[in-house]
Amino acid sequence: MTAYAAKRVLSVVPVLVGITAFVFLMLHLVPGDPVILLLGEGGVASPQAMNALRHELGLTDPLPLQFVRYTRDVSRGNWGRSIRFNRPVLALLIENGRYTIELAAAALTIAVVAGLPLGILAAVQRTRWGDSAAMFVSLVGVSMPSFWLGAMLIFAFSLHFKWFPAIGQGGLNRLVLPGIALAFAPMASLARLVRSSLLEILGEDYVRTARAKGMAERAVILRHALRNALIPVVTFFGLETGRLLGGAFVVETVFSRIGLGRTIVNAILNKDFPVVQGAVLFVAVLYVAVNLVVDLSYAVLDPRVRFE
Amino acid sequence: MAILTAVLTTSAVAAGAPAGPTPGGTLTFGIRQEPSTTDPHASANGVSQRVLAHLYDGLVYQTPDGAYHPWLATKWTVSPDGKTYTLTLRAGVKFHDGTPFNASAVKTSLDRIIDPATRSTSAISAIGPYASSEVVDASTIRVHLKEPYSPFINALSQPWLGMVSPTAVKSWGRDFAQHPVGTGPFKFVEMVPQDHITLVRNPDYAWPPSAGKAHSGPAYLERVVIRTVPEDSTRLATLQNGETNLIEPLPEQNVAQVQGDTNLYVLKQMEMGAGRVVLLNTQRAPTNDVRVRRAIEFGVDTATLVKTLFYGQHMVGRSPVSPVMPGYDKSLERIYTYDPAKARQLLEEAGWRPGPGGVRVKDGQPLRMSLFIIPNIGAEPTAEYLQSQLRQVGIDLEIRALARAAWYEGINRGDHNLTLAFFIWPDPDILRTLYYSTNIPFNWFHYNNPDVDRMLLEASRLTDMRARIGLYRRVMRKVMDDALPLTLYYENNILAARRTLQGVKFDAVGYPLFYDAYVTR
């Protein structure tokens, strides 16, 4: 297990190098000179001023040299400075990332609290009314875009009932509506996943044995079947993290929350390319880290999973 | 000015009977886009002016009628050669950090703009051929220009040329934007990126401009919070539930809804500048043919565009500058009117004959042209409208939606036939930015006309506004005759407020000012 964990952690290194290279190249190979964008908007910047800035940003050096320098700086925690905010990129991302992680965590919690029982209900009630109801809810959930749901939540609970504020972050009351908006899609997928996974396991021999021994149905489902049914659910969490971070941008925009998604989009709009570069890397690292944790947690959940 | 007055009157009526202003209260202002900086001299987007105009004062004040009035400079004189401006400064003015405002503070501010380390875009462009400043005595500054530049007084009135505290500049250097210090009616408290900027009343403020203000002394509002709320429907919801008491912009489709809500009202102000305009590239075929360009001018029904896409909330027009600009010439509006028959006839004359699928052909080539846009709210519907309109006269318009950087590169190179843009600027010298040949590539018409160049240069050197206007009118007639700009409409800046907020005014370009604003309970 320890050996596997070490190996798994090490395997992340080439992934990170690859991501760094990709992010670096992405910004250098797409059309558009960042210096023109930074200074040229009024059409008045002198060529000298442009060259000075190009030099200052290290854009005059050969690409390989720029890449080596970038990788070295990044590995030392120097992710550059935001052109717009004149602040270290990493500090900016950690500060803004806090709110995205908070939102994603809230959404995951809501998704699990609502999705798990919904999935169990559907499996137990298979082809009966409970199943139909649960699957209807989840169908609506997967098909409803989060920006529309967000707007509806604001309309109902901020405007009509005035229960929650519509914008901003900080405090549980500002987390409820965006959390629900972001949670709906994963909640729906989770319910479907739990249903199918549980149905499969309920047909297994050991479940039949447990029932034959006279075990209560409740115990059979919750103690025997559910634990095994959770393996794909854990995989789901790993994959869902990426979608949550992406979906967070939409929800952050609708609810005017500080967050990584808006940081990236604003940085693109404001031509703050050190931030764009840093943010993409930051999200990638976050995603890799979550999937690492997911992989390692298989062993804890299922003793049959052996690592060589 | 008739239109402007009409607009102001409408908003005053809509505002209802005002209760008297009382000090205190908070203005929470929801805006779509985040201000990019609190440093007036650094690169800045237009939305930053909402913040800058309240933190900093200028030397000169421009009222929405285009006239200039004393502010931190009580008077100014221009040397006969037009290259030296001598300004007398107001006494008793203090920056928020207690630093006295004087001639050396003005010198620090102006010199800072041309310092490459400041990375200025808007301010450096406004300040033009600035050479140096000379401190004559504490209350007199002499500004030297490299060449005569009549828009200089206009430049001094812009938020980009706000006066900054020399003490703060010295102690914060490149971090000045995090610690901005001016002499304005409000002081900086904090800026939380993506979220809000908070300003608090400057209790010592006693130097509002001599004109265009309803009171003197400190501002009424205790606090101004500028919140970024990017989503249109959310922004309106925050106004309706009271989380904000002013929002900008109010989408055109929501104007009627706000007018129907007794708690809210609409504020409208036309923006100075060149309006929303399609720029026609004179160097690339087929728009290098003036007959084709004229056909495009005749082939687009802008009245229907404004009515259907923008709910009639903007002003239809064809002139190269908006009606609130000095030099606006109403007779230019009649040069091109919607006339598809005329458009077809011009295309026939240019040799483009009806071809398969309704697209005209010449020498086996279809009449195809490209429209470059940056996809954002409003650009795609407008582009599609133009496409369908031009299709009716036999032009196949290809819409090229590009990221901002690629768009810049493309139109700087001249790869486009048409592109969509808008220009907000409070001086007719905007025409030089747009049509002057040495401004290629920023002259996105890629237009090169020595005659026009000569008139534009002369106009920028004349100090007599009447003489300048005479030249600008000739330039505008020429560029209209050459069918360069297809002006779609003059844009109104549309805001919505809660009735409890009163007294919001506008600056010359069309942006809101809060010095006279107050909240009622």
Side-chain angles (χ1 to χ4, degrees):
Chain A
M1 171 70 196
T2 324
Y4 168 78
K7 217 164 103 184
R8 186 67 188 74
V9 169
L10 276 178
S11 74
V12 165
V13 174
V15 175
L16 291 181
V17 173
I19 291 168
T20 314
F22 175 74
V23 168
F24 174 83
L25 283 175
M26 187 180 74
L27 271 134
H28 283 80
L29 298 183
V30 292
D33 178 354
V35 172
I36 291 189
L37 278 178
L38 283 169
L39 288 179
E41 197 137 19
V44 288
S46 66
Q48 293 94 308
M50 287 205 187
N51 280 333
L53 181 59
R54 214 167 260 136
H55 197 78
E56 192 189 317
L57 295 173
L59 296 172
T60 46
D61 297 327
L63 210 57
L65 179 64
Q66 286 188 48
F67 179 63
V68 169
R69 192 171 48 213
Y70 178 70
T71 318
R72 188 196 62 201
D73 286 351
V74 160
S75 64
R76 286 178 183 166
N78 173 12
W79 290 31
R81 276 181 97 78
S82 158
I83 290 165
R84 189 169 152 203
F85 301 113
N86 195 18
R87 290 185 46 205
V89 168
L90 194 55
L92 193 78
L93 292 174
I94 290 171
E95 208 173 283
N96 295 341
R98 191 160 67 93
Y99 295 106
T100 299
I101 291 167
E102 172 189 290
L103 174 63
L108 268 184
T109 310
I110 297 171
V112 170
V113 168
L116 209 57
L118 214 56
I120 297 171
L121 175 76
V124 173
Q125 290 254 323
R126 178 147 82 123
T127 70
R128 278 180 288 158
W129 68 269
D131 189 16
S132 315
M135 285 308 99
F136 176 75
V137 171
S138 95
L139 182 71
V140 171
V142 284
S143 27
M144 206 154 39
S146 56
F147 71 84
W148 185 81
L149 181 61
M152 288 303 113
L153 289 170
I154 288 176
F155 184 74
F157 299 108
S158 298
L159 212 54
H160 191 73
F161 295 115
K162 300 197 195 311
W163 291 350
F164 300 103
I167 55 168
Q169 57 286 310
L172 208 58
N173 66 333
R174 293 185 196 271
L175 201 53
V176 174
L177 299 185
I180 292 173
L182 188 56
F184 236 80
M187 184 271 289
S189 325
L190 184 66
R192 294 178 153 254
L193 190 70
V194 168
R195 176 184 183 268
S196 65
S197 176
L198 203 55
L199 279 178
E200 198 177 308
I201 284 160
L202 285 176
E204 298 271 334
D205 286 348
Y206 72 92
V207 173
R208 203 174 317 130
T209 311
R211 278 182 177 144
K213 283 195 300 183
M215 202 174 192
E217 185 62 16
R218 192 187 179 83
V220 170
I221 289 167
L222 293 182
R223 284 231 300 276
H224 281 62
L226 190 61
R227 177 164 173 174
N228 290 309
L230 283 183
I231 303 265
V233 171
V234 171
T235 314
F236 164 84
F237 279 142
L239 297 171
E240 198 60 27
T241 309
R243 262 178 51 188
L244 276 179
L245 291 173
F249 161 67
V250 174
V251 173
E252 281 161 9
T253 306
V254 171
F255 291 91
S256 302
R257 286 177 57 91
I258 296 176
L260 280 179
R262 277 179 69 204
T263 304
I264 298 177
V265 173
N266 280 333
I268 292 170
L269 292 176
N270 292 302
K271 313 127 215 178
D272 198 344
F273 72 95
V275 175
V276 179
Q277 225 165 9
V280 174
L281 192 60
F282 188 83
V283 171
V285 170
L286 212 60
Y287 189 67
V288 168
V290 168
N291 277 285
L292 181 65
V293 172
V294 165
D295 279 4
L296 294 177
S297 68
Y298 285 146
V300 182
L301 257 182
D302 186 354
R304 285 174 311 176
V305 176
R306 292 275 179 270
F307 301 107
E308 301 306 329
Chain B
M1 291 310 113
I3 288 131
L4 177 73
T5 320
V7 168
L8 286 176
T9 318
T10 328
S11 41
V13 169
T22 43
T26 300
L27 186 158
T28 308
F29 182 29
I31 51 175
R32 180 191 281 158
Q33 206 193 336
E34 187 178 24
S36 68
T37 181
T38 55
D39 179 351
H41 305 157
S43 86
N45 52 9
V47 74
S48 302
Q49 293 198 14
R50 276 67 166 177
V51 182
L52 301 177
H54 297 99
L55 282 177
Y56 305 94
D57 291 330
L59 294 171
V60 175
Y61 189 73
Q62 188 186 17
T63 39
D65 61 4
Y68 298 102
H69 305 273
W71 198 355
L72 293 185
T74 51
K75 61 175 199 271
W76 53 88
T77 55
V78 190
S79 65
D81 68 356
K83 293 209 285 197
T84 304
Y85 285 69
T86 307
L87 297 104
T88 308
L89 306 175
R90 185 171 179 138
V93 175
K94 275 192 165 38
F95 287 100
H96 301 150
D97 60 1
T99 308
F101 166 79
N102 53 30
S104 97
V106 175
K107 181 175 162 60
T108 304
S109 285
L110 297 182
D111 285 350
R112 183 170 180 262
I113 291 166
I114 57 160
D115 181 352
T118 309
R119 283 188 195 158
S120 180
T121 58
S122 303
I124 203 167
S125 140
I127 204 171
Y130 173 81
S132 64
S133 292
E134 184 190 333
V135 175
V136 180
D137 58 48
S139 63
T140 314
I141 184 108
R142 198 168 286 151
V143 179
H144 299 286
L145 305 179
K146 288 178 209 151
E147 53 196 83
Y149 175 62
S150 53
F152 189 66
I153 288 298
N154 174 269
L156 291 178
S157 76
Q158 292 184 23
W160 319 125
L161 264 67
M163 294 292 118
V164 299
S165 159
T167 317
V169 167
K170 200 168 165 196
S171 50
W172 296 111
R174 285 191 65 169
D175 291 333
F176 178 81
Q178 275 85 57
H179 311 273
V181 180
T183 64
F186 293 93
K187 302 197 272 191
F188 179 78
V189 178
E190 62 168 353
M191 172 170 184
V192 178
Q194 297 177 41
D195 198 58
H196 71 275
I197 295 173
T198 304
L199 311 178
V200 68
R201 169 169 52 186
N202 173 7
D204 302 325
Y205 195 72
W207 42 87
S210 63
K213 299 291 170 191
H215 80 294
S216 55
Y220 299 124
L221 295 164
E222 181 56 40
R223 199 170 278 272
V224 172
V225 181
I226 298 163
R227 294 199 68 110
T228 316
V229 187
E231 181 63 29
D232 285 343
S233 63
T234 310
R235 198 165 53 250
L236 181 55
T238 63
L239 183 73
Q240 290 167 321
N241 78 1
E243 283 180 77
T244 57
N245 44 14
L246 180 71
I247 59 166
E248 177 192 8
L250 175 68
E252 293 88 352
Q253 69 266 26
N254 297 120
V255 169
Q257 186 190 351
V258 168
Q259 281 166 339
D261 186 328
T262 49
N263 294 317
L264 312 176
Y265 66 99
V266 174
L267 295 96
K268 266 170 88 167
Q269 175 79 30
M270 188 175 290
E271 290 171 347
M272 274 198 179
R276 291 272 161 174
V277 60
V278 182
L279 315 183
L280 278 58
N281 185 353
T282 58
Q283 298 294 324
R284 189 182 183 83
T287 43
N288 57 352
D289 184 335
V290 67
R291 293 167 296 189
V292 172
R293 294 201 300 273
R294 284 182 186 145
I296 295 170
E297 299 270 1
F298 283 115
V300 177
D301 178 4
T302 52
T304 302
L305 169 86
V306 171
K307 209 162 109 188
T308 55
L309 291 184
F310 301 104
Y311 298 79
Q313 292 299 324
H314 303 295
M315 191 186 160
V316 180
R318 292 279 188 177
S319 137
V321 294
S322 106
V324 284
M325 285 283 272
Y328 170 75
D329 182 353
K330 196 168 171 36
S331 68
L332 297 177
E333 303 281 357
R334 289 191 293 273
I335 297 180
Y336 302 106
T337 46
Y338 178 52
D339 189 347
K342 181 110 188 177
R344 288 188 196 100
Q345 181 199 329
L346 279 158
L347 291 174
E348 288 285 336
E349 281 169 25
W352 295 97
R353 305 273 175 244
V359 176
R360 288 172 182 272
V361 286
K362 181 159 92 176
D363 309 327
Q365 293 297 312
L367 182 50
R368 183 171 294 151
M369 53 185 72
S370 59
L371 169 67
F372 280 37
I373 60 165
I374 303 175
N376 63 30
I377 306 154
E380 293 99 326
T382 303
E384 281 158 21
Y385 180 83
L386 292 170
Q387 191 178 45
S388 76
Q389 287 269 292
L390 294 179
R391 184 77 186 192
Q392 288 170 28
V393 295
I395 295 172
D396 179 16
L397 187 67
E398 179 207 5
I399 299 170
R400 299 272 311 272
L402 299 163
R404 186 179 288 265
W407 178 80
Y408 266 114
E409 280 204 346
I411 62 173
N412 280 351
R413 262 201 312 268
D415 292 348
H416 65 294
N417 289 112
L418 283 70
T419 189
L420 266 178
F422 66 98
F423 300 92
I424 300 171
W425 200 257
D427 188 275
D429 192 48
I430 176 81
L431 294 169
R432 194 158 57 109
T433 314
L434 294 178
Y435 301 104
Y436 200 64
S437 67
T438 52
N439 264 339
I440 297 173
F442 188 71
N443 165 347
W444 290 321
F445 305 96
H446 294 260
Y447 180 61
N448 189 345
N449 182 320
D451 227 30
V452 166
D453 281 0
R454 193 182 43 71
M455 288 191 280
L456 285 170
L457 190 64
E458 198 186 329
S460 79
R461 287 161 176 260
L462 287 171
T463 43
D464 177 28
M465 194 61 179
R466 289 175 69 99
R468 282 182 73 195
I469 283 173
L471 285 166
Y472 288 133
R473 290 197 166 155
R474 280 167 61 195
V475 168
M476 288 193 286
R477 190 160 288 279
K478 178 66 188 152
V479 300
M480 286 294 282
D481 193 45
D482 281 344
L484 301 180
L486 165 57
T487 305
L488 299 175
Y489 54 90
Y490 315 118
E491 189 154 13
N492 280 312
N493 191 18
I494 309 173
L495 289 80
R498 291 191 73 81
R499 287 232 178 259
T500 47
L501 176 72
Q502 297 289 337
V504 172
K505 292 220 166 76
F506 288 93
D507 68 5
V509 262
Y511 296 153
L513 294 174
F514 307 142
Y515 172 69
D516 285 327
Y518 58 94
V519 286
T520 56
R521 270 155 280 270

